[in-house]
Amino acid sequence: MSVNIEVNNKTIQAKKGETILEALNRNGIKVPTLCRMEGLSPTGACRLCVVEVEGKSGLTPSCSYPIEHPMKIWTHSPRVISARKMLVELLLSNHPDDCLYCIRNGDCELQNLAVELNVRERRISGEKTKINLDQSSPGMVRDPSKCILCGRCVRVCDEVQDVSTFDFINRGNSTLIATSMSKDLNFSNCINCGQCIMVCPTGALHEKTSFDIIQEMLNNKDIKVIAHYSSSVPVSLAKALGLKPGKDVNGLLNAALKGIGFDKVFDSAFGADIAIYEQAAELADRIKNEENLPVLSSCCPGWIKYMEQLHPDMIDLVSTTKSPQQILGTLIKGYYAEKEQISPEKIFTISITPCTAKKFEAQREEMTHKGVSDIDQVITTRELIKLIHLYGIDIHSLNDEFSDEPFNTRSSASKLVSVSGGMTEAVARTLNYFFTGKELSPIQVPKLRGIKNIKEIVLKMDKKNINFVVVSGLKNANKILAEIREGKIKADFVEIMACPGGCINGGGQPFCNDEKVQKTMIKAIYSTDDKEAIKVAHKNPGVLKLYNDFLKEPLSRVSNKNLHTGYKEREVLL
Amino acid sequence: MNNIVKEILLKNVLIPTKINVDKKVLETLQLLKREKVIHPVITISSNTPSKIAGIDEVRKQIEDYINERNLNVTILEVGSLGLSSLELIISVQLPGKTRLFFKQVNSENIILILDGIFNNFIQEEYVLGQLKNKIQEPWAQVPFLDEIAYFNFQQRLILNQCGFIDVNSIDEYIAFGGYQTFVKTINQNTPGEVCDIVEESLLRGRGGEGYSTGKKWKIASSTVSPQKYLICNAGESDPGAFMERLLMESDPHNVIEGIAIAAYAISAQKAFIYIESDYELAIQRIRNAIDQATAYGLLGHDIMGTGYNLEIIIKQGAGAYVCGEETALIKNIEGKRGKPHSKPPYPATKGLFGQPTVVNNVETLVNVPVILDKGAEWFKSIGTEDSKGTKVFSISGKVEYTGLVEVEMGTKIRDVIFRIAGGIRNNKRFKAVHIGGPSGGCLTEDHLDTLIDFESIMLVGASLGAASLVVLDEDNCILDTVKYFMDYLQKESCGICIPCREGTRRMAEILENISKRPKDENGYATLQRFKGVMQLETLAEVLKDTSMCGLGRKAANPVLSTLKWFRDEYEEHIFERNCSAGVCQELRTFEIDVDACTGCTLCAKKCPTGAIFGTPKNVHFIVQDKCIGCGICFETCKFSAIISK
Amino acid sequence: MQEIEKILDQYPFVQRDNLIPILQDIQNTFGYISEEAIVKVGSYLKMPTSKIYGLATFYNQFRFSPKGKYHIKICNGTSCHVNANNLIISEVEKILGIKNGENTKDNHFSLEITSCMGVCGMGPVMAVNDKYYTLITVQKVKDIISNYQQMEV
């Protein structure tokens, strides 16, 4: 029901029952917020969104107070601005003064608030909370002294991911955010998905960066430095580099990386095609033998760690296929090194991904052979952008280049993997070929597309009904797994991605609040599938050549040795 | 429990209609109420302060005394009369005579007192007073309790049975009229009518906000829901308030009855009492009372055949002042961190487990039976225009008599402090009275004629809150008291909203800076300190305007009220760096008495800033600019040659 | 530990509002909440341990390390404060060398500054384990602690 309310002496339309903030935003009036999270219920904790409402003593939080009729509101009266300014100053009084050295310099919500509210002097000073950094995790760093206790990380980890690594501890001004028993991250149940980083307004949470070692390796003439990037990366760079959002800059990226000095630039999508091929073979095998179904996907390292901690009873169901990143790493340090006659120790591989959990995956025991890691370093999309700037690469003056042989071809199916449902669609295409010898028709499966959290479809392949389930976000995954355990769902293949919406929303992606930009990135992925000719992994010429020369066939002895891995139960404080 | 007595009470007293007044019933009631006794009865005050002061030892001595002489004497436990500073209090009632109360009883004098009373002789120095009794002979030359100043000026509606009634007996409670109101109400009134009566009586919540109790009940009552809850907030974490503790220890059935009627009014079938876990004795008494009431059929399933069910559950708090706020309390019961949340939604529409919940303070609930019994009009005749009824205070600090007092709304503060509590002890000068704990404010001598009611107290910048009165004299420093409350608040803040979490911390630091003389204060530090002080009022205003809950909003009350009324004391600390009450340790100034100093050089050696100069065997001298007021020299000097100002 | 199981058996309904009573029982039985206890309770109530830890640290009642043999509590209610209990507190801190919430190195003594004990007429008040001392002065405190120290020699 629509009502008229008065805001800043003008009449606007509001709906009864919605919050003041919703009504203001719809009418183009912006009010600063901090603890608010899209899609989750408001808490009214930070008090920055307060407005003056006639007849109420004190100021009212607009994010949680419902519209009443009649109502007279002032959003920027002197009293309100003065209060908001004081609140930001109070936050700043307990915040380190090291903006220039901070990883979020220029991209920090607290900085933005201080600028918006015109904070020009230190009126309040006092003792600051001093806590040590937690650098124990391979994927992330926690800096509690920069934490402003907005609680977003707690909420995303609890309400969206269902991992609940953090919670508020203590009380009053001793309040902190900590893991269970205040242990370091590497002892906690953190899966490194980085969703907390994506919502953190300051530099309290960020990925572990490793530029020093990369620069050192690039300087070292004896080391061959090889970079490869996941299929989401080329569509995620455009806005940050000043190009049209959603533009696929694959060619420019190759050029940029070569400009930085990488000896070889490969495409991890090649690895994705192999992963699709192997997983489809695994699925076909298990369907034929009617055992160990459903196959649970294995390309998401966040999900894998989560499974090892919380659902170890499902280990036998998880596909043993490595993730695309690791597949490529193994091939580089094995097949490629041998072919080029370079010692694996002289190769330094850097994987560029949208994911922080991959930093954890790269250092897993199983991904290291005789002291040499398959993937030496993982950097996120955000870090890549910084690297491009560090090396003075002007993207506008570059021309498209190709990535290098032998890992440079890819099908459009491997591109689909970036979005939730993509791996399933790709596997379905190859599985259909295994069962029928023909391509899936129609080859595109729109029902598996989009960022909806749970998707289900049944596809008919050679008189068999194959049930596919796609889920992203671990809270949803728990729901599906419970239903599988109880036998309520019939599934042959379940794709599980820890990040809601898939890798395109990974913990290493550029910070962006604009939904429209995200939509253009996803659109770019799907348009690749429309445009390109090779739409299936099993027709990727490079992949076929590799199998011919080296791997022989999926699930062969060589394939198993190089492309498959194992898992084990993890004991952590749940 | 005596089953014969129980039968009599159930058939004749706990009935919806008029009490059956046959001879057997009357006699039972008389004995239960101890209007007459057949053999001597000794009551001992059994409550937390008395237990700490040693009542158990005294009880043992009484038991030994009785056993040795083969006397037929009953010993009963009662609660507290409210006169904490005169504990231990016992009473002796001999057959044929009135009940005689003794004060300041201890292990040394108990035998003397007993010897006396059993020989019809009274140890006058320990006599408090006697209880009026229509049918018994009074003791000569002993004041009646209600003539003593402490009780005379009080109007005890809620506390009238505390300290007199056996805390372990439901029979006695019923004999005094207890539970009769409850039984009548559930038989003769609908829940809606009960809400109407309470709303008409203009009863306001005693827990702090002063919202109309009846209105709150009606909101919950009218919200459609299969399950509703009543929560009795007996949290009382206010340091310096012990009213709810003593009430629950002394008259637990009154609390239960209030809860039961309130739960019926909102059609709740489950009620919770939230009591802090360290209130062990209170929890035990309430638990006992619930069990006894259930055994009588007054709680549980199909109460007294009316079809109404009620279960009362005790929930123990785990130690958090913020859980006194209703939304935080609800979170605590749900098993979460006690964080308040924004209102709306109000608990009365959506509270515990998402259901309509009414949270009422213990004192509010204890008013309910008497309102239903005597009527809304009667209740309205007590008190002032906006604040009806009485108010219970815990009074402590530098007064002669500390304890619980209950006065009619509209009584002057002066009367409470000087008439009831006996004025300032040790002949010191009154400085201030702090009302309402950490959320309240300080009032000066000029405000002593302020009336005690919701509006008048708010107008002078304090808050009635959970009503603790702490009286300060000339030896107390206002700044120190405010610092104490601010320290308390910043520890008890839940930490969720920025103004309260960061604001209280900064205010505490500013107050700390005012009362300290830092070791090496350079110009910049002084500037920062002054900047801080100027921010005190602004910070306080922002806290009041933007905090999420009452704790934050009222956190600035102590500071704002003292800044208004005691500005000169602040200025003395800031500009003159002096604390005239001598409390702020680091603002003390020390001087060396030239006549007493022997020149032993010990103080000079120990001084951390090298502020003492002098040569051996000659009089030493303290340089005030270097002195930080730590007091080490004062403690070191063996010749008492250092004077502290 | 079996005793934790016994406590959990008293709460057959797996619901979150049993969390605080369970923790209170554990605190009363063992004197503190151990990591093992948190894990067991989390597994029983199907709750993440971070939430249980977060809740336990919020409230004053819960400790995470055992108390000393002689646990000293000093009342810091308003009345005791205006009756100059700060001198008592600093004296105890000086003699034992520990602050609020800490244990002495030999674990003989632990100190807790509590909120109002309700004995406002007889403050300052101190308790050692279950024994209460009222109207204490700096000298009395010295004597009381010295007595307990003698017992340990």
Side-chain angles (χ1 to χ4, degrees), chain A residues 382-507:
Chain A
R382 287 193 295 268
E383 287 173 271
L384 171 66
I385 294 168
K386 289 203 169 99
L387 201 63
I388 291 177
H389 291 312
L390 181 64
Y391 278 87
I393 306 290
D394 178 16
I395 204 88
H396 301 279
S397 63
L398 292 175
N399 293 315
D400 283 348
E401 288 187 39
F402 290 114
S403 44
D404 296 316
E405 290 184 351
F407 306 123
N408 58 341
T409 55
R410 60 148 175 74
S411 69
S412 65
S414 65
K415 235 6 203 190
L416 290 175
V417 165
S418 332
V419 184
S420 162
M423 175 60 87
T424 305
E425 194 176 335
V427 166
R429 292 179 186 177
T430 303
L431 184 70
N432 188 65
Y433 186 76
F434 281 155
F435 280 161
T436 64
K438 291 201 275 261
E439 294 306 339
L440 185 66
S441 181
I443 198 157
Q444 295 189 336
V445 190
K447 256 197 161 171
L448 288 172
R449 296 189 174 188
I451 55 168
K452 200 166 139 220
N453 285 325
I454 303 179
K455 300 169 244 190
E456 289 178 50
I457 198 170
V458 182
L459 293 171
K460 223 184 173 81
M461 295 179 192
D462 187 31
K463 295 184 203 125
K464 290 194 252 288
N465 280 334
I466 316 289
N467 297 281
F468 293 97
V469 177
V470 173
V471 58
S472 69
L474 288 170
K475 192 179 191 131
N476 305 309
N478 274 333
K479 223 170 84 172
I480 297 293
L481 290 172
E483 289 179 11
I484 290 175
R485 278 199 189 93
E486 290 163 21
K488 287 195 188 144
I489 273 193
K490 192 165 166 22
D492 295 301
F493 182 79
V494 182
E495 175 193 314
I496 302 178
M497 296 292 177
C499 298
C503 307
I504 202 83
N505 290 329

Side-chain angles (χ1 to χ4, degrees), chain C residues 39-90:
Chain C
V39 169
K40 278 217 157 69
V41 175
S43 150
Y44 181 72
L45 288 179
K46 303 204 189 339
M47 275 179 69
T49 51
S50 61
K51 293 262 171 281
I52 299 178
Y53 181 64
L55 181 133
T57 51
F58 184 86
Y59 294 104
N60 293 335
Q61 187 181 8
F62 303 120
R63 296 172 59 98
F64 297 93
S65 60
K67 297 181 193 171
K69 186 165 176 193
Y70 304 109
H71 185 66
I72 301 178
K73 293 200 288 198
I74 304 181
C75 174
N76 199 24
T78 318
S79 191
C80 288
H81 180 85
V82 304
N83 280 304
N85 74 343
N86 54 333
L87 299 169
I88 311 291
I89 294 176
S90 21

Side-chain angles (χ1 to χ4, degrees), chain B residues 307-365:
Chain B
Y308 177 55
N309 309 324
L310 177 62
E311 192 192 346
I312 300 184
I313 302 169
I314 298 177
K315 279 285 182 183
Q316 295 191 31
Y321 176 66
V322 70
C323 286
E325 205 275 339
E326 54 183 9
T327 52
L329 201 167
I330 288 174
K331 286 255 166 56
N332 178 299
I333 295 184
E334 288 177 345
K336 300 179 183 160
R337 281 168 66 93
K339 293 187 307 202
H341 70 74
S342 303
K343 299 190 265 204
Y346 291 93
T349 40
K350 190 171 167 194
L352 185 62
F353 306 125
Q355 309 295 342
T357 307
V358 167
V359 179
N360 279 139
N361 179 270
V362 157
E363 191 185 339
T364 316
L365 289 172

Side-chain angles (χ1 to χ4, degrees), chain A residues 510-557:
Chain A
F511 296 113
C512 183
N513 281 329
D514 199 346
E515 241 182 51
K516 287 197 215 106
V517 173
Q518 192 207 54
K519 283 205 175 98
T520 57
M521 296 190 326
I522 296 176
K523 209 165 134 204
I525 303 263
Y526 292 141
S527 72
T528 315
D529 191 48
D530 290 335
K531 286 187 286 202
E532 291 192 5
I534 303 177
K535 293 199 201 318
V536 287
H538 52 269
K539 291 238 163 77
N540 179 338
V543 168
L544 290 173
K545 184 167 185 304
L546 184 66
Y547 273 92
N548 201 25
D549 291 346
F550 177 55
L551 296 169
K552 301 302 164 215
E553 56 185 21
L555 307 179
S556 71
R557 203 181 50 83

Side-chain angles (χ1 to χ4, degrees), chain C residues 85-130:
Chain C
N85 74 343
N86 54 333
L87 299 169
I88 311 291
I89 294 176
S90 21
E91 188 62 34
V92 174
E93 287 178 344
K94 200 167 82 181
I95 300 176
L96 295 175
I98 55 176
K99 292 218 176 290
N100 183 17
E102 293 176 2
N103 293 23
T104 50
K105 282 216 166 56
D106 51 15
N107 270 328
H108 287 161
F109 294 95
S110 51
L111 179 60
E112 188 187 337
I113 314 285
T114 67
S115 52
C116 183
M117 288 191 198
V119 204
C120 305
M122 290 178 265
V125 178
M126 185 171 99
V128 181
N129 292 345
D130 286 325

